Amino acid sequence: MSQSGRNGLTYSDAGVDIDAGNLMVEKIKPAVRSTRRPGADGEIGGFGGLFDLKAAGFTDPVLVAANDGVGTKLKIAIDADYHDTVGIDLVAMCVNDLVVQGAEPLFFLDYFATGKLDPDQGAAIVGGIAAGCREAGCALIGGETAEMPGMYSSGDYDLAGFAVGAAERGKLLPSGDIAEGDVILGLSSSGVHSNGFSLVRKIVSLSGLGWDAPAPFVEGKKLGEALLTPTRIYVKPLLKAIRETSALKALAHITGGGFPENIPRVLPKHLAAEIDLAAVEAPAVFSWLAKTGGVEANEMLRTFNCGIGMIVVVAEENVTSVSNVLEAEGEKVVTLGRMVARTEGDAGVIYKGTLAL
């Protein structure tokens, strides 16, 4: 008998389960509620999320927006069936891009698309997003869950995130006074963060190891779990340092492209960053990737963060005060180098020393 002869086609027959979507919304409400902050105290479920800038304490704010995804790190989460932390990565990749401009992250929206919606898996992912939002001090005020059979294969999903922050007018970074001799500090990363995972997955396939094999570079963790270590969120320590010292001249989030792509984005054209690679303590995961994949140091430096997730530029006389605030907030601070004059034809980043891999 034809579908229409039975009862008529339904959306469910086409592979979209409205009830599963509604169930997921109910499951995630407590996680979403946990991210409330001054300026945002509404429930999800409306057509748009609301935010009150005045209630957040701003008088003359400039809004700053950023969006990002998690990249092919999601393939590891899917294959290893571990979905609790990729939401933290999603938030981190967006809010770290806001704070480098001196902005306080205010609110976040997510987009979650999948072939077949599993409400428990969806709730685990949004639980991670909420955890990232709490760590960054921003409210999860809305999102979109899209069930799209035929667009994604079974078990596959994708994530995108959108964050909005604010800074008082005139307080945005980079400041206009970066000068020769200014010191470059680095903040340690938690691992690979969320860039270069197409190369990571290729190296893992060369190694012949499964995601549930013991991780060769860290004790007591499976390979998949170790590689899924979430991206570090630098927001609260950096905002504290900005507000308490007023000494931060520029920040750069070290994502895809490493030092050479990301540092010059915040520098004036007449200056270059001279980095002493010997000062970088690369976590063991990078040594394992380089060795197992036969990846040269220069390729590592332009693909991965290699152990430094954030760059801070300060005048020499402010190094101690800024470092003290950041270290008190739990950051590991490394002195990486200084600003030097850039002659025509020079790269924006100049290396000294060798990266210990």
Side-chain angles (χ1 to χ4, degrees):
M1 188 187 284
S2 72
Q3 292 274 16
S4 54
R6 223 173 39 212
N7 274 322
L9 267 175
T10 65
Y11 210 8
S12 183
D13 293 329
V16 178
D17 187 344
I18 293 170
D19 294 333
N22 291 337
L23 176 60
M24 184 179 141
V25 170
E26 286 311 308
K27 280 180 177 285
I28 65 177
K29 275 185 176 174
V32 173
R33 217 171 281 136
S34 74
T35 69
R36 285 176 171 174
R37 52 150 293 155
D41 56 9
E43 279 280 5
I44 55 165
F47 285 96
L50 305 179
F51 193 90
D52 183 344
L53 277 166
K54 205 167 185 180
F58 287 90
T59 50
D60 185 20
V62 176
L63 293 179
V64 185
N67 70 309
D68 212 333
V70 184
T72 56
K73 189 173 190 175
L74 288 180
K75 286 297 287 177
I76 300 179
I78 291 161
D79 293 345
D81 194 25
Y82 189 77
H83 311 283
D84 302 57
T85 58
V86 285
I88 299 173
D89 288 295
L90 184 68
V91 175
M93 295 304 287
C94 296
V95 296
N96 285 341
D97 279 357
L98 294 183
V99 78
V100 295
Q101 294 173 89
E104 174 189 337
L106 302 175
F107 60 86
F108 191 86
L109 300 111
D110 71 280
Y111 174 79
F112 167 50
T114 184
K116 175 143 191 66
L117 183 61
D118 171 345
D120 288 326
Q121 182 197 62
I125 293 163
V126 175
I129 294 171
C133 284
R134 288 193 302 273
E135 200 179 327
C138 65
L140 178 57
I141 65 168
E144 166 71 358
T145 301
E147 189 175 26
M148 300 197 282
M151 184 70 84
Y152 295 93
S153 4
S154 175
D156 275 355
Y157 62 84
D158 199 7
L159 292 174
F162 309 85
V164 173
E168 292 293 357
R169 197 176 303 277
K171 299 280 190 183
L172 290 167
L173 295 177
S175 64
D177 61 345
I178 304 170
E180 206 175 325
D182 282 349
V183 175
I184 302 163
L185 304 174
L187 305 186
S188 293
S189 68
S190 56
V192 187
H193 285 187
S194 295
N195 297 101
F197 272 88
S198 296
L199 180 54
V200 169
R201 287 166 49 245
K202 180 127 186 115
I203 292 167
V204 170
S205 78
L206 287 171
S207 78
L209 294 172
W211 300 119
D212 57 355
F217 47 85
V218 65
E219 286 288 316
K221 284 192 174 181
K222 294 177 178 177
L223 179 59
E225 183 195 359
L227 288 172
L228 286 167
T229 300
T231 307
R232 190 161 181 81
I233 293 175
Y234 298 97
V235 170
K236 288 181 179 175
L238 286 174
L239 286 176
K240 195 166 170 94
I242 289 167
R243 287 164 182 169
E244 287 194 6
T245 69
S246 300
L248 282 70
K249 292 189 174 190
L251 296 165
H253 184 200
I254 306 303
T255 56
F259 293 156
E261 294 290 328
N262 290 292
I263 299 177
R265 292 164 71 176
V266 297
L267 300 185
K269 297 286 181 232
H270 68 283
L271 292 175
E274 185 182 76
I275 303 278
D276 178 8
L277 293 177
V280 178
E281 288 179 37
V285 60
F286 295 110
S287 305
W288 181 78
L289 289 167
K291 191 175 170 187
T292 309
V295 186
E296 290 179 3
N298 264 358
E299 188 64 21
M300 291 294 293
L301 284 161
R302 54 180 287 219
T303 307
F304 300 114
N305 67 63
C306 292
I308 300 293
M310 187 67 72
I311 292 288
V312 183
V313 179
V314 294
E316 191 160 18
E317 64 268 21
N318 295 319
V319 168
T320 305
S321 61
V322 170
S323 297
N324 287 347
V325 174
L326 291 169
E327 284 167 353
E329 290 294 302
E331 295 300 333
K332 186 174 179 195
V333 184
V334 184
T335 302
L336 289 179
R338 58 185 57 245
M339 289 297 157
V340 295
R342 181 175 179 177
T343 52
E344 206 176 328
D346 267 0
V349 175
I350 300 160
Y351 294 132
K352 287 190 342 185
T354 319
L355 183 66
L357 288 168

